[in-house]
Amino acid sequence: TRQAIQSVTAAREYDQRRLAETQTKRLYSTARWRARREACRAEAKGLCQECLRQGRVVEGNTADHKTPHRGDLWQFWNGKLEW
């Protein structure tokens, strides 16, 4: 039936999203990511950039993709980061 096909399609799409998410999460534990994260921290002098825009001086603790990569590997490795 049509409903069964839609259900199978939705389940397949969900599985594909979960697989891509898992593969991307693994990238955060690589030496390449750690080096990129450290370069971002050094450039920001360890300070939270969003906090600075709000007039607060706070130590940052996360490198964040300014544009979410959504599993796109090029964007993951080359997209602008912010500390």
Side-chain angles (χ1 to χ4, degrees):
T1 67
R2 184 180 180 133
Q3 187 176 15
I5 292 171
Q6 288 175 332
S7 179
V8 168
T9 301
R12 183 176 297 130
E13 289 171 354
Y14 173 80
D15 289 343
Q16 288 172 342
R17 282 192 311 273
R18 294 286 294 164
L19 178 60
E21 185 178 290
T22 300
Q23 290 170 337
T24 302
K25 284 183 179 181
R26 288 184 194 146
L27 296 175
Y28 287 106
S29 64
T30 63
R32 182 178 175 188
W33 170 255
R34 288 190 300 270
R36 185 156 193 248
R37 181 183 181 277
E38 181 58 27
C40 176
R41 187 196 67 76
E43 183 179 317
K45 298 178 178 46
L47 299 176
C48 170
Q49 300 303 295
E50 179 62 30
C51 299
L52 286 175
R53 284 192 289 275
Q54 296 172 11
R56 301 180 296 136
V57 179
V58 177
E59 184 179 359
N61 61 8
T62 304
D64 184 36
H65 288 89
K66 287 189 75 164
T67 301
H69 59 78
R70 303 198 195 297
D72 179 321
L73 292 179
W74 190 93
Q75 184 68 25
F76 181 89
W77 291 118
N78 301 292
K80 176 82 172 129
L81 296 179
E82 183 171 81
W83 191 252

